[in-house]
Amino acid sequence: MNTSQGTKPPLSTTASASSFKPPLPSPGLRTPSNRKTIYDRNLNRTRTAELSRASFAYLFGEMVTYAQKRVTGIQDLERRLNEQGYPLGVRLLPLLLYRAPPRTATRPTRILPLLQFITTTVWKHLFGRAADALERSSANEDEYMISDNEPLVNMYVSVPKEMNQLNCAAYVAGVIEGVCDAGAMTAAVSAHNGGTEMWPGKTVFLIRFESGVVEREGILEGRGVAG
């Protein structure tokens, strides 16, 4: 009996290479050909790298544009800018302490040393210079102020007249707040226009520490802890 009728021929197991197509790359994070990402870099590798002002102006302008979407007013926009800067501040404290020389790589435990660290080390890392002033409020013991006469983040942002109260340095306020929280000194930080005739773009960052932080500061001071 001929069994070849009505049966299908066996499938060929030797298909040409041209009939196969490589799979399409999946959307998401692209990995370089060497399979290494930015997380594989040495933390000290880019300690002296600088970003051009043109690149910074473009990137920060895009961040402001993104934050401006679906906001209800100036305060809402500044809040979103603050939230964008906060994660950077949280990561900056351990990174800069890691890069510091062993003799000076000490985590601040008191308010003033932490703020001095922000106005010098953090400011120089971000803007290439120290902040212009650090003051303590004479009225409230939980308030401190950092002044910047010419904030870099405001130099390339054109604010319309109807939004003249907007201060895009709220992003920097978020960075300061993140550094304070990373140092276990929880604070609320806001940016305020403090322009003068000499410095029309001056910004004052108001830092309000929580009551528990102020109480701990008093205890450490009584014990003579330098911080």
Side-chain angles (χ1 to χ4, degrees), residues 59-69 77-91 168 170-175:
L59 291 173
F60 188 73
E62 290 298 309
M63 291 175 60
V64 175
T65 301
Y66 176 79
Q68 195 174 359
K69 296 178 180 178
L77 176 55
E78 290 184 342
R79 178 187 59 80
R80 296 191 67 176
L81 289 172
N82 184 293
E83 292 174 350
Q84 289 180 354
Y86 180 85
L88 173 60
V90 172
R91 290 163 175 79
C168 292
Y171 176 82
V172 182
V175 175

Side-chain angles (χ1 to χ4, degrees), residues 82-108:
N82 184 293
E83 292 174 350
Q84 289 180 354
Y86 180 85
L88 173 60
V90 172
R91 290 163 175 79
L92 266 181
L93 180 63
L95 174 63
L96 295 179
L97 288 176
Y98 173 81
R99 290 179 174 176
R103 293 182 179 180
T104 60
T106 304
R107 182 181 294 269

Side-chain angles (χ1 to χ4, degrees), residues 29-47:
L29 180 65
R30 296 181 61 186
T31 305
S33 58
N34 59 6
R35 312 301 299 175
K36 291 186 178 182
T37 66
I38 191 174
Y39 300 106
D40 297 301
R41 291 183 182 177
N42 188 302
L43 289 177
N44 285 326
R45 180 178 175 182
T46 56
R47 62 183 303 172

